[in-house]
Amino acid sequence: MKQTIMVVEDDKMIRNLIRIYLEKNGYEVVEAADGEEAKTVFLKYYPCLIILDLMLPKLSGEAFCKWVKEQENGEVSIIMLSAKTSIEDKITGLRIGADDYMTKPFDPNELIAHIEAVLRRTGQYCQKIVSNGLCIKPRKGEVLLHNKPIQLTKFEFNLLYVFMQHPNIVLSREQLVNELYPHSENNVMDRTIDAHIKKLREKIEEEPAKPKRIQTVRGMGYKFVQAN
């Protein structure tokens, strides 16, 4: 799965330039043009790394950086990319939580090298799958929905993980039974899977009776719909 990088920059030309180089190097890219929009985008996509301009409209880069660190407890990396070039500015950026600091103008290839270096150090924290505000962290056993923890049973967690690993693919009840009960010697009935899915929908769907994430495919099984 591709790692997602978020570009927070009010200059559209710079955002587009960074996007081109990131996508060329195999990353998924999401964008924000100001600090307030960045909060919304962050909570939807939970990126692995953020490229952050400091001089932003509505909410400064410094304030956004502090907010991110409060949300993710150090699980997202930040590279500050700023026209502020003084040593004091760099030290301040690093002290408030940045993992790296680059100044403008910059060489896009050098930025890619910095991104790769930061992710080598911190990439183990980015083992998560995200879809439209729903984030599962298998390494920590956590699920977040719009940044709020969701309490799942072991079977619900494993079921959601299987679904999110195979987005937009129909999974039969038999396949799901084999994933959830691989060593079971007794027959696990289809309605057991249906019961797990009903309870899971109650926790992650806005309208469980009209699910948008986990959809029933009549006569075939279920599929997890990956939102853009």
Side-chain angles (χ1 to χ4, degrees):
M1 176 169 290
K2 292 182 178 180
Q3 291 174 308
T4 298
I5 294 180
M6 178 176 168
V7 182
V8 187
E9 167 65 62
D10 62 334
D11 188 314
K12 187 175 181 180
M13 289 183 63
I14 294 177
R15 284 204 316 274
N16 288 341
L17 174 65
I18 296 173
R19 171 185 279 276
I20 289 169
Y21 275 81
L22 289 174
E23 290 180 341
K24 180 181 176 182
N25 283 271
Y27 298 104
E28 295 281 356
V29 184
V30 294
E31 303 177 12
D34 62 66
E36 289 297 337
E37 181 187 11
K39 286 185 176 182
T40 301
V41 174
F42 178 86
L43 293 177
K44 182 175 181 179
Y45 294 101
Y46 293 94
C48 292
L49 182 143
I50 300 170
I51 299 170
L52 177 63
D53 183 24
L54 294 183
M55 294 184 285
L56 294 170
K58 298 184 181 180
L59 182 73
S60 72
E62 291 93 341
F64 176 70
C65 179
K66 292 177 181 177
W67 178 85
V68 167
K69 292 302 179 180
E70 291 171 357
Q71 308 308 308
E72 277 290 279
N73 194 26
E75 291 187 11
V76 62
S77 303
I78 296 177
I79 296 178
M80 289 184 174
L81 184 63
S82 177
K84 296 182 177 181
T85 59
S86 73
I87 295 297
E88 289 79 7
D89 289 323
K90 294 179 182 179
I91 292 172
T92 298
L94 294 170
R95 280 180 173 169
I96 64 175
D99 297 271
D100 201 351
Y101 192 109
M102 290 184 64
T103 57
K104 299 177 182 177
F106 63 96
D107 183 305
N109 289 309
E110 182 183 3
L111 175 60
I112 294 297
H114 279 250
I115 290 169
E116 291 173 347
V118 169
L119 288 177
R120 277 197 298 272
R121 298 195 304 268
T122 63
Q124 72 271 21
Y125 298 116
C126 199
Q127 297 176 11
K128 54 191 173 186
I129 307 175
V130 182
S131 175
N132 194 29
L134 180 65
C135 175
I136 188 167
K137 300 180 181 181
R139 185 169 172 268
K140 299 185 71 175
E142 293 179 354
V143 175
L144 300 174
L145 181 59
H146 302 302
N147 211 40
K148 295 182 179 179
I150 303 296
Q151 300 301 319
L152 302 181
T153 65
K154 172 187 173 181
F155 290 119
E156 291 165 0
F157 184 93
N158 292 342
L159 182 61
L160 180 61
Y161 186 44
V162 170
F163 275 128
M164 294 185 74
Q165 283 183 303
H166 303 90
N168 303 316
I169 295 175
V170 178
L171 299 174
S172 68
R173 289 176 175 83
E174 183 180 358
Q175 287 175 301
L176 294 171
V177 166
N178 290 336
E179 290 285 351
L180 265 63
Y181 302 92
H183 306 297
S184 177
E185 296 180 0
N186 300 318
N187 290 330
V188 179
M189 291 182 286
D190 288 352
R191 62 172 174 264
T192 301
I193 295 298
D194 295 341
H196 288 319
I197 288 177
K198 180 181 178 181
K199 292 178 181 178
L200 182 57
R201 282 172 169 166
E202 290 172 354
K203 296 177 180 180
I204 68 170
E205 299 279 4
E206 291 185 9
E207 296 183 70
K210 299 178 181 179
K212 293 183 178 180
R213 297 182 189 274
I214 300 176
Q215 297 185 359
T216 302
V217 182
R218 193 170 300 277
M220 297 178 67
Y222 298 95
K223 70 175 179 179
F224 182 86
V225 178
Q226 175 73 56
N228 295 324

